[in-house]
Amino acid sequence: MMRGNDLGRDSVPKLVLRLAVPTMIAQFVNVLYSIIDRMYIGNIPENGAMALAGVGICGPIVTLLSSFGTLVGLGGSILMAMRMGEGDDKKAKQILSNSFLMLIAFSVVLTVMFLLLKNKLLMWFGASEATFSYADTYLSIYTAGTFFALMAVGLNYFINCQGFSTVGMTTVLIGAIANIVLDPIFIFAFDMGVAGAAVATVLSQMASCAFALVFLFGKRPKIKITFGGYSKNIMTRIITLGLSPFLILATDSIIIIVLNTVLQRTGGAEADMLIAAVTIVQSYMSVITGPMIGISSGTQAIISYNYGAGRTDRVKEAEKNILALCLVFTAIMFAVSRFVPELFAGMFIDDAEGIKLAGWGIRTFTLGIVTLSFQYVFVDGLTALGRTKTALTMSMFRKASYVVSAIVLAYTVSARASFYAEPLVDIVCSGITSLVFLRVFDGHLKKREMGFMAA
């Protein structure tokens, strides 16, 4: 039986690799599933295009739902890792107990609320008469499985933060692989169309949820799910720590809606083609940003644990190694992005002009992808240290800058020019985030060292 990684004593470079690689793989497979899922739906006979558009409208809503799992999971796991670093396992168990209750409560409230409001939400997010029925079918079934989605996402953070990165990867892989297998069965073999895609997703999330629950109730983890010890103060602290990544995920949906609206209003005759192209570009970008999230968030436990233990030397070493790994990955992906864009675009469409436009868009969007490493690693690093306000400010500044830049470029230059907003903002905002991080990082760690010395 494999042991968990020792976050306080194992070699930091080896820890970073052992925690980052499984989460990178898990995120990549998750992204791959999403892409394949869209391909299946887009190939539904006769109405594939409308079905894909309907499910696409549900995308931001689905992201918003799952981000509540991140709110509790990441916030609670960071706090739990700090307490484990301090050697306070009793408090760590209490944090997991409170987090588990919060995930249940959020699941119930969100399921009821979204089922009651789904019609208004779908119309607000752009459903038309032609796409509403597909979007309504998919969202109704998906929302009914909210419990499993939130549990699978939220509980996995508590697995990873105890050093069981391979188990955490398995949780994600079970759901992703099950979805890839079940999609064609329910969509085509059972002739259920969009409803089949939603059912396959819910069943896959059930499998991931069951695996996570069995593990966290089992013998292997030091900190298991228990009941009792509920505290309003602990719950408030969990939400405070998780608010930054929650808002980061939740606002991604808003950015997609704004960009599509801008392209529709400024693109003229090629507006629909531009929107199709940017949809493909965003799918490609997720192939890069997904594993980046795996690197930066999957290794947060090392930072939080050693910060809690007062081992600031290990915190600094971890940050350097995490950044180095992310830089290597993005440098490789920058090079790859010069050669494969048209091949990737051809997986979605067969129109030569559309493929050419999407290929250009991918090359443009990835011009500043290497610098984005600093943004991801430093924002997640600050979150792991409990500097959530600073992390949130840096992330929201980047997102706001992107929206403003895209709008200004589209209206003052051209719709196509808005594609340059991504690399422009990546370069500028990553530089600003780096300066802020360097200014607060050492001071924050010194304050922690002084606290230990005083104790």
Side-chain angles (χ1 to χ4, degrees), residues 144-222:
T146 297
F147 173 84
F148 307 109
L150 260 63
M151 282 292 173
V153 172
L155 293 180
N156 209 36
Y157 285 102
F158 296 97
I159 295 173
N160 285 324
C161 83
Q162 296 189 62
F164 293 100
S165 53
T166 304
V167 177
M169 177 184 70
T170 304
T171 305
V172 177
L173 291 182
I174 286 173
I177 294 172
N179 217 323
I180 291 172
V181 172
L182 293 176
D183 259 343
I185 296 173
F186 282 92
I187 294 173
F188 302 114
F190 293 167
D191 196 24
M192 293 176 65
V194 166
V199 170
T201 298
V202 172
L203 289 176
S204 301
Q205 290 169 341
M206 287 176 64
S208 290
C209 172
F211 182 83
L213 284 170
V214 169
F215 181 81
L216 286 173
F217 274 113
K219 297 179 179 180
R220 288 184 64 187
K222 187 176 183 181

Side-chain angles (χ1 to χ4, degrees), residues 51 96 288:
L96 179 52
I288 303 175

Side-chain angles (χ1 to χ4, degrees), residues 70-79 82 99 102 106 232-248 382-393:
T70 300
L71 170 66
V72 177
L74 191 52
S77 65
I78 288 173
L79 193 60
M82 288 182 180
S99 298
M102 291 172 70
F106 272 123
K232 181 180 178 182
N233 289 335
I234 290 177
M235 292 184 185
T236 301
R237 182 62 176 154
I238 289 170
I239 291 176
T240 301
L241 283 172
L243 188 62
S244 174
F246 166 77
L247 291 176
I248 290 170
L382 289 170
T383 302
L385 293 173
R387 292 288 300 245
T388 51
K389 290 183 179 178
T390 309
L392 180 60
T393 300

Side-chain angles (χ1 to χ4, degrees), residues 357-435:
L357 179 60
W360 168 80
I362 289 171
R363 290 189 181 90
T364 302
F365 262 61
T366 55
L367 285 172
I369 199 69
V370 175
T371 62
L372 198 57
S373 297
F374 295 93
Q375 179 77 19
Y376 274 60
V377 173
F378 290 160
V379 166
D380 282 351
L382 289 170
T383 302
L385 293 173
R387 292 288 300 245
T388 51
K389 290 183 179 178
T390 309
L392 180 60
T393 300
M394 292 299 96
S395 183
M396 290 298 104
F397 177 74
R398 175 178 173 270
K399 290 175 183 290
S401 298
Y402 175 74
V403 170
V404 171
S405 298
I407 293 172
V408 170
L409 287 170
Y411 280 97
T412 61
V413 184
S414 68
R416 290 197 181 203
S418 65
F419 282 52
Y420 286 99
E422 178 74 29
L424 175 65
V425 170
D426 286 349
I427 294 169
V428 173
C429 291
S430 292
I432 293 172
T433 296
S434 298
L435 291 174

